[in-house]
Amino acid sequence: MHPAFSVIFLTTLIGVGQGLFLALYTGQVYALFHVLSAQGDRQFYAVGSMIALAFLIAGLVSSFFHLGHPERAWRSAAQWRTSWLSREVIVLPGFMACVFGYGVAHYFGWNVPLFTLGETLQVDLIMLIGAAGTLLCFALFVSTGMIYACLRFLQEWHTPLTVINFILLGGASGFALAAGYAALAAPALTGFYAKWALIITVLAFVSRSASLVRNHKLKPKSTLQSAIGIRHNVIAQKSQGFMGGSFNTREFFHGKSAAMLRSVKWLFIALTFGLPFVFLTWGLSSSNPGLLLMAFFVQYAGLIAERWFFFAQANHPQNLYYQTVS
Protein backbone atom coordinates (compact mmCIF):
# COMPACT_ATOMS: atom_id res chain seq x y z
CA MET A 1 0.00 0.00 0.00
CA HIS A 2 1.05 3.60 -0.49
CA PRO A 3 1.90 5.11 2.95
CA ALA A 4 0.05 8.40 3.49
CA PHE A 5 1.90 10.65 5.93
CA SER A 6 -1.35 12.23 7.11
CA VAL A 7 -2.46 8.81 8.38
CA ILE A 8 1.02 8.02 9.71
CA PHE A 9 0.99 11.21 11.81
CA LEU A 10 -2.64 10.65 12.83
CA THR A 11 -2.03 7.17 14.23
CA THR A 12 1.30 7.96 15.89
CA LEU A 13 0.27 11.30 17.41
CA ILE A 14 -3.01 10.09 18.92
CA GLY A 15 -1.09 7.02 20.13
CA VAL A 16 1.24 9.27 22.14
CA GLY A 17 -1.74 11.20 23.54
CA GLN A 18 -3.50 7.98 24.52
CA GLY A 19 -0.37 6.53 26.10
CA LEU A 20 0.38 9.70 28.07
CA PHE A 21 -3.16 9.86 29.43
CA LEU A 22 -2.99 6.19 30.45
CA ALA A 23 0.33 6.89 32.19
CA LEU A 24 -1.12 9.79 34.19
CA TYR A 25 -4.23 7.88 35.23
CA THR A 26 -2.29 4.70 36.03
CA GLY A 27 -0.05 6.65 38.39
CA GLN A 28 -3.08 8.12 40.13
CA VAL A 29 -4.76 4.71 40.49
CA TYR A 30 -1.57 3.23 41.93
CA ALA A 31 -1.49 6.04 44.50
CA LEU A 32 -5.19 5.47 45.29
CA PHE A 33 -4.44 1.84 46.18
CA HIS A 34 -1.30 2.93 48.08
CA VAL A 35 0.93 0.96 45.70
CA LEU A 36 2.64 4.22 44.76
CA SER A 37 3.28 6.61 47.61
CA ALA A 38 4.57 9.58 45.65
CA GLN A 39 2.07 11.75 43.73
CA GLY A 40 2.44 14.79 41.56
CA ASP A 41 0.50 17.93 42.41
CA ARG A 42 -2.66 19.11 40.67
CA GLN A 43 -0.67 21.18 38.18
CA PHE A 44 1.35 18.11 37.15
CA TYR A 45 -1.77 16.19 36.09
CA ALA A 46 -3.49 19.25 34.61
CA VAL A 47 -0.52 20.20 32.43
CA GLY A 48 0.12 16.55 31.55
CA SER A 49 -3.49 16.19 30.39
CA MET A 50 -3.19 19.28 28.21
CA ILE A 51 -0.01 17.88 26.64
CA ALA A 52 -1.88 14.65 25.87
CA LEU A 53 -4.77 16.68 24.45
CA ALA A 54 -2.35 18.66 22.25
CA PHE A 55 -1.08 15.41 20.69
CA LEU A 56 -4.66 14.26 20.10
CA ILE A 57 -5.58 17.56 18.44
CA ALA A 58 -2.44 17.42 16.28
CA GLY A 59 -3.41 13.92 15.16
CA LEU A 60 -6.95 15.03 14.40
CA VAL A 61 -5.70 17.98 12.32
CA SER A 62 -3.33 15.66 10.46
CA SER A 63 -6.23 13.39 9.48
CA PHE A 64 -7.95 16.22 7.62
CA PHE A 65 -5.09 16.30 5.09
CA HIS A 66 -6.14 12.79 4.06
CA LEU A 67 -9.65 13.88 3.10
CA GLY A 68 -10.65 15.10 -0.31
CA HIS A 69 -13.53 17.07 1.22
CA PRO A 70 -12.82 17.78 4.93
CA GLU A 71 -16.16 19.59 5.23
CA ARG A 72 -17.86 16.23 4.77
CA ALA A 73 -15.85 14.45 7.48
CA TRP A 74 -18.79 14.47 9.92
CA ARG A 75 -20.73 12.20 7.57
CA SER A 76 -18.28 9.36 8.24
CA ALA A 77 -19.80 8.97 11.74
CA ALA A 78 -23.09 7.80 10.25
CA GLN A 79 -21.79 4.29 9.42
CA TRP A 80 -20.91 3.29 13.00
CA ARG A 81 -22.85 0.01 12.76
CA THR A 82 -20.51 -1.46 10.14
CA SER A 83 -17.40 0.73 9.92
CA TRP A 84 -14.45 0.80 12.34
CA LEU A 85 -13.40 4.11 10.79
CA SER A 86 -16.80 5.51 11.71
CA ARG A 87 -16.42 4.22 15.28
CA GLU A 88 -12.99 5.85 15.49
CA VAL A 89 -14.52 9.15 14.36
CA ILE A 90 -17.07 8.90 17.19
CA VAL A 91 -14.74 7.69 19.96
CA LEU A 92 -11.89 10.15 19.33
CA PRO A 93 -13.77 13.37 20.27
CA GLY A 94 -15.34 11.59 23.26
CA PHE A 95 -11.90 10.58 24.49
CA MET A 96 -10.56 14.10 23.90
CA ALA A 97 -13.42 15.50 26.00
CA CYS A 98 -12.51 13.13 28.83
CA VAL A 99 -8.83 14.11 28.69
CA PHE A 100 -9.81 17.78 28.80
CA GLY A 101 -12.24 17.17 31.67
CA TYR A 102 -9.61 15.15 33.55
CA GLY A 103 -7.12 18.03 33.32
CA VAL A 104 -9.70 20.67 34.29
CA ALA A 105 -10.89 18.59 37.25
CA HIS A 106 -7.32 18.32 38.51
CA TYR A 107 -6.65 22.03 38.00
CA PHE A 108 -9.69 23.07 40.03
CA GLY A 109 -9.21 20.30 42.61
CA TRP A 110 -12.57 18.58 42.17
CA ASN A 111 -11.53 15.76 44.47
CA VAL A 112 -14.38 15.76 47.00
CA PRO A 113 -15.25 12.07 47.64
CA LEU A 114 -18.56 11.14 46.02
CA PHE A 115 -18.79 7.66 47.55
CA THR A 116 -16.66 5.04 49.23
CA LEU A 117 -15.89 1.55 47.96
CA GLY A 118 -15.27 -0.94 50.72
CA GLU A 119 -14.13 0.79 53.90
CA THR A 120 -11.42 3.15 52.75
CA LEU A 121 -11.44 3.54 48.96
CA GLN A 122 -12.84 7.03 48.29
CA VAL A 123 -13.91 7.79 44.72
CA ASP A 124 -14.13 11.37 43.47
CA LEU A 125 -15.12 13.03 40.19
CA ILE A 126 -11.53 13.00 38.88
CA MET A 127 -11.32 9.23 39.23
CA LEU A 128 -14.65 8.75 37.46
CA ILE A 129 -13.62 10.95 34.53
CA GLY A 130 -10.30 9.11 34.38
CA ALA A 131 -12.05 5.72 34.33
CA ALA A 132 -14.35 6.84 31.50
CA GLY A 133 -11.34 8.22 29.62
CA THR A 134 -9.48 4.91 30.04
CA LEU A 135 -12.39 2.94 28.57
CA LEU A 136 -12.62 5.33 25.62
CA CYS A 137 -8.83 5.24 25.21
CA PHE A 138 -8.83 1.46 24.71
CA ALA A 139 -11.94 1.71 22.53
CA LEU A 140 -10.01 4.16 20.35
CA PHE A 141 -6.98 1.86 20.17
CA VAL A 142 -9.21 -1.03 19.11
CA SER A 143 -11.15 1.06 16.58
CA THR A 144 -7.98 2.41 14.97
CA GLY A 145 -6.33 -1.00 14.83
CA MET A 146 -9.44 -2.76 13.52
CA ILE A 147 -9.67 -0.36 10.57
CA TYR A 148 -6.72 -2.33 9.19
CA ALA A 149 -7.08 -5.69 10.97
CA CYS A 150 -10.59 -6.26 9.61
CA LEU A 151 -9.42 -6.26 5.97
CA ARG A 152 -9.26 -9.96 5.13
CA PHE A 153 -7.71 -9.44 1.69
CA LEU A 154 -4.66 -7.66 3.19
CA GLN A 155 -3.01 -10.61 4.91
CA GLU A 156 -0.25 -8.54 6.54
CA TRP A 157 -2.86 -6.55 8.50
CA HIS A 158 -5.51 -9.20 9.08
CA THR A 159 -4.31 -10.39 12.48
CA PRO A 160 -4.97 -9.56 16.16
CA LEU A 161 -1.31 -8.52 16.34
CA THR A 162 -2.24 -5.34 14.46
CA VAL A 163 -4.49 -4.15 17.29
CA ILE A 164 -2.05 -5.33 19.97
CA ASN A 165 0.80 -3.44 18.27
CA PHE A 166 -1.22 -0.23 18.09
CA ILE A 167 -1.94 -0.49 21.84
CA LEU A 168 1.62 -1.35 22.91
CA LEU A 169 3.39 1.13 20.63
CA GLY A 170 1.08 3.95 21.68
CA GLY A 171 1.49 2.96 25.32
CA ALA A 172 5.29 2.78 25.08
CA SER A 173 5.61 6.24 23.53
CA GLY A 174 3.14 7.75 26.03
CA PHE A 175 4.89 6.31 29.08
CA ALA A 176 8.28 7.38 27.69
CA LEU A 177 6.98 10.94 27.37
CA ALA A 178 5.49 10.70 30.87
CA ALA A 179 8.91 9.69 32.22
CA GLY A 180 10.58 12.73 30.66
CA TYR A 181 7.77 15.02 31.78
CA ALA A 182 7.87 13.66 35.34
CA ALA A 183 11.65 14.13 35.47
CA LEU A 184 11.03 17.86 34.89
CA ALA A 185 7.82 18.41 36.86
CA ALA A 186 7.51 15.61 39.45
CA PRO A 187 10.85 13.82 39.93
CA ALA A 188 9.40 11.43 42.52
CA LEU A 189 7.30 9.79 39.80
CA THR A 190 10.11 9.44 37.24
CA GLY A 191 11.08 5.91 38.23
CA PHE A 192 7.49 4.67 38.05
CA TYR A 193 6.88 5.94 34.52
CA ALA A 194 10.36 5.05 33.22
CA LYS A 195 10.10 1.44 34.44
CA TRP A 196 6.68 1.04 32.86
CA ALA A 197 8.00 2.58 29.64
CA LEU A 198 10.79 -0.01 29.61
CA ILE A 199 8.34 -2.88 30.23
CA ILE A 200 5.90 -1.77 27.53
CA THR A 201 8.73 -1.12 25.06
CA VAL A 202 9.96 -4.69 25.54
CA LEU A 203 6.42 -6.07 25.15
CA ALA A 204 5.94 -3.97 22.01
CA PHE A 205 9.22 -5.31 20.61
CA VAL A 206 8.05 -8.90 21.18
CA SER A 207 4.64 -8.23 19.64
CA ARG A 208 5.98 -6.32 16.62
CA SER A 209 8.65 -8.94 16.03
CA ALA A 210 5.95 -11.61 16.04
CA SER A 211 4.04 -9.74 13.35
CA LEU A 212 7.22 -9.34 11.26
CA VAL A 213 7.93 -13.08 11.46
CA ARG A 214 4.30 -13.89 10.65
CA ASN A 215 4.23 -11.60 7.64
CA HIS A 216 7.55 -12.95 6.36
CA LYS A 217 6.00 -16.43 6.18
CA LEU A 218 2.81 -15.34 4.40
CA LYS A 219 2.00 -16.74 1.00
CA PRO A 220 -0.44 -14.85 -1.28
CA LYS A 221 -3.82 -16.55 -1.49
CA SER A 222 -4.38 -15.24 -5.01
CA THR A 223 -2.37 -15.86 -8.15
CA LEU A 224 -2.08 -13.98 -11.43
CA GLN A 225 -4.55 -16.49 -12.84
CA SER A 226 -7.16 -15.93 -10.15
CA ALA A 227 -6.54 -12.17 -10.16
CA ILE A 228 -7.70 -11.76 -13.74
CA GLY A 229 -10.03 -14.76 -13.87
CA ILE A 230 -8.31 -16.75 -16.63
CA ARG A 231 -7.86 -20.49 -16.14
CA HIS A 232 -4.51 -21.19 -17.74
CA ASN A 233 -1.36 -22.59 -16.21
CA VAL A 234 1.04 -20.17 -17.93
CA ILE A 235 0.18 -16.47 -17.83
CA ALA A 236 2.83 -13.76 -18.34
CA GLN A 237 2.13 -10.07 -17.81
CA LYS A 238 3.39 -8.02 -20.75
CA SER A 239 1.53 -4.74 -20.40
CA GLN A 240 -1.05 -3.06 -18.23
CA GLY A 241 -2.75 -1.55 -21.25
CA PHE A 242 -1.62 2.04 -20.77
CA MET A 243 1.68 3.92 -20.78
CA GLY A 244 1.52 6.04 -17.61
CA GLY A 245 0.60 5.50 -14.01
CA SER A 246 -2.91 5.28 -12.67
CA PHE A 247 -4.84 5.40 -9.41
CA ASN A 248 -4.13 1.69 -8.94
CA THR A 249 -0.39 2.08 -9.36
CA ARG A 250 -0.24 5.13 -7.07
CA GLU A 251 -2.54 4.18 -4.18
CA PHE A 252 -1.95 0.45 -3.79
CA PHE A 253 1.80 0.21 -4.25
CA HIS A 254 4.57 2.06 -2.41
CA GLY A 255 6.87 2.20 -5.43
CA LYS A 256 10.03 1.58 -3.40
CA SER A 257 12.60 -1.16 -3.78
CA ALA A 258 12.79 -4.24 -1.57
CA ALA A 259 16.18 -3.03 -0.32
CA MET A 260 14.65 0.22 0.94
CA LEU A 261 11.91 -1.69 2.75
CA ARG A 262 14.51 -3.82 4.51
CA SER A 263 16.46 -0.67 5.48
CA VAL A 264 13.34 0.99 6.94
CA LYS A 265 12.53 -2.19 8.87
CA TRP A 266 15.90 -2.31 10.64
CA LEU A 267 15.82 1.47 11.12
CA PHE A 268 12.49 1.41 12.93
CA ILE A 269 13.53 -1.57 15.06
CA ALA A 270 16.59 0.37 16.25
CA LEU A 271 14.79 3.69 16.78
CA THR A 272 11.56 2.35 18.28
CA PHE A 273 12.96 -0.31 20.58
CA GLY A 274 16.76 -0.46 20.83
CA LEU A 275 17.83 3.15 21.38
CA PRO A 276 14.82 4.12 23.58
CA PHE A 277 15.61 1.15 25.83
CA VAL A 278 19.18 2.41 26.20
CA PHE A 279 18.12 6.02 26.85
CA LEU A 280 15.39 5.00 29.32
CA THR A 281 17.76 2.75 31.26
CA TRP A 282 20.49 5.39 31.25
CA GLY A 283 18.07 8.17 32.18
CA LEU A 284 16.53 6.08 34.95
CA SER A 285 19.89 5.34 36.55
CA SER A 286 21.12 8.93 36.27
CA SER A 287 17.74 10.74 36.76
CA ASN A 288 18.62 12.85 33.73
CA PRO A 289 15.50 14.49 32.17
CA GLY A 290 17.34 15.08 28.89
CA LEU A 291 18.02 11.37 28.40
CA LEU A 292 14.41 10.44 29.18
CA LEU A 293 13.07 13.04 26.77
CA MET A 294 15.57 11.85 24.17
CA ALA A 295 14.14 8.35 24.60
CA PHE A 296 10.70 9.69 23.68
CA PHE A 297 11.82 11.75 20.67
CA VAL A 298 13.93 8.90 19.26
CA GLN A 299 11.08 6.47 19.79
CA TYR A 300 8.59 8.76 18.08
CA ALA A 301 10.91 9.08 15.07
CA GLY A 302 11.05 5.29 15.03
CA LEU A 303 7.27 5.09 15.16
CA ILE A 304 6.99 7.21 12.02
CA ALA A 305 9.29 4.74 10.25
CA GLU A 306 7.41 1.78 11.77
CA ARG A 307 4.06 3.06 10.59
CA TRP A 308 5.46 3.79 7.10
CA PHE A 309 6.71 0.20 6.93
CA PHE A 310 3.36 -1.08 8.24
CA PHE A 311 1.52 0.51 5.32
CA ALA A 312 4.17 -0.26 2.70
CA GLN A 313 4.44 -3.93 3.64
CA ALA A 314 0.74 -4.61 3.00
CA ASN A 315 0.53 -6.15 -0.45
CA HIS A 316 -2.83 -5.43 -2.07
CA PRO A 317 -4.06 -8.34 -4.29
CA GLN A 318 -4.43 -5.95 -7.22
CA ASN A 319 -0.62 -5.69 -7.31
CA LEU A 320 -0.56 -9.21 -8.74
CA TYR A 321 -1.48 -7.49 -11.94
CA TYR A 322 0.02 -4.02 -11.62
CA GLN A 323 3.21 -4.41 -9.57
CA THR A 324 5.34 -5.73 -12.43
CA VAL A 325 4.96 -2.58 -14.45
CA SER A 326 4.33 0.01 -11.75
Side-chain angles (χ1 to χ4, degrees), residues 281-304:
T281 305
W282 190 4
L284 181 62
S285 61
S286 62
S287 299
N288 187 327
L291 291 173
L292 295 170
L293 287 173
M294 182 63 72
F296 164 72
F297 287 117
V298 169
Q299 190 167 56
Y300 184 74
L303 286 176
I304 293 175

Side-chain angles (χ1 to χ4, degrees), residues 69-153:
H69 294 278
E71 72 279 6
R72 302 175 186 172
W74 62 274
R75 294 183 180 178
S76 60
Q79 304 299 320
W80 60 272
R81 292 180 181 84
T82 56
S83 168
W84 285 104
L85 175 62
S86 183
R87 292 163 189 158
E88 182 191 46
V89 170
I90 295 172
V91 173
L92 178 55
F95 174 60
M96 292 171 69
C98 280
V99 175
F100 179 74
Y102 184 73
V104 170
H106 268 294
Y107 182 79
F108 289 104
W110 295 342
N111 56 357
V112 178
L114 299 176
F115 56 89
T116 302
L117 294 176
E119 296 182 355
T120 59
L121 189 61
Q122 295 180 333
V123 179
D124 54 35
L125 181 61
I126 298 174
M127 296 303 298
L128 292 178
I129 296 175
T134 300
L135 290 175
L136 289 173
C137 180
F138 280 102
L140 181 58
F141 271 131
V142 172
S143 298
T144 304
M146 284 303 295
I147 291 173
Y148 310 101
C150 73
L151 301 176
R152 294 177 180 273
F153 56 91

Side-chain angles (χ1 to χ4, degrees), residues 13-250:
L13 288 171
I14 65 173
V16 174
Q18 291 170 264
L20 178 56
F21 172 78
L22 288 178
L24 295 173
Y25 188 63
T26 301
Q28 194 181 2
V29 170
Y30 268 55
L32 182 67
F33 285 94
H34 307 291
V35 179
L36 183 67
S37 57
Q39 293 189 60
D41 56 16
R42 293 186 303 178
Q43 187 176 1
F44 171 77
Y45 289 103
V47 174
S49 299
M50 294 305 110
I51 294 174
L53 185 61
F55 275 94
L56 294 170
I57 293 173
L60 181 62
V61 171
S62 175
S63 70
F64 280 88
F65 290 96
H66 193 63
L67 302 175
H69 294 278
E71 72 279 6
R72 302 175 186 172
W74 62 274
R75 294 183 180 178
S76 60
Q79 304 299 320
W80 60 272
R81 292 180 181 84
T82 56
S83 168
W84 285 104
L85 175 62
S86 183
R87 292 163 189 158
E88 182 191 46
V89 170
I90 295 172
V91 173
L92 178 55
F95 174 60
M96 292 171 69
C98 280
V99 175
F100 179 74
Y102 184 73
V104 170
H106 268 294
Y107 182 79
F108 289 104
W110 295 342
N111 56 357
V112 178
L114 299 176
F115 56 89
T116 302
L117 294 176
E119 296 182 355
T120 59
L121 189 61
Q122 295 180 333
V123 179
D124 54 35
L125 181 61
I126 298 174
M127 296 303 298
L128 292 178
I129 296 175
T134 300
L135 290 175
L136 289 173
C137 180
F138 280 102
L140 181 58
F141 271 131
V142 172
S143 298
T144 304
M146 284 303 295
I147 291 173
Y148 310 101
C150 73
L151 301 176
R152 294 177 180 273
F153 56 91
L154 291 178
Q155 293 176 269
E156 291 82 358
W157 294 351
H158 186 55
T159 166
L161 288 171
T162 298
V163 179
I164 294 171
N165 286 331
F166 271 70
I167 295 174
L168 291 177
L169 291 172
S173 57
F175 273 81
L177 178 57
Y181 171 55
L184 295 172
L189 294 173
T190 303
F192 171 76
Y193 291 127
K195 290 175 183 175
W196 267 114
L198 283 169
I199 292 171
I200 302 174
T201 297
V202 171
L203 292 175
F205 172 71
V206 173
S207 175
R208 193 66 178 95
S209 297
S211 69
L212 289 174
V213 172
R214 171 191 175 275
N215 292 347
H216 181 69
K217 296 179 179 178
L218 286 177
K219 294 182 179 178
K221 294 181 179 178
S222 300
T223 64
L224 187 57
Q225 286 84 351
S226 64
I228 58 179
I230 297 178
R231 295 182 180 180
H232 194 283
N233 293 329
V234 180
I235 296 178
Q237 181 184 350
K238 300 295 184 182
S239 171
Q240 63 181 0
F242 45 87
M243 297 294 290
S246 68
F247 178 84
N248 286 338
T249 57
R250 290 192 301 270

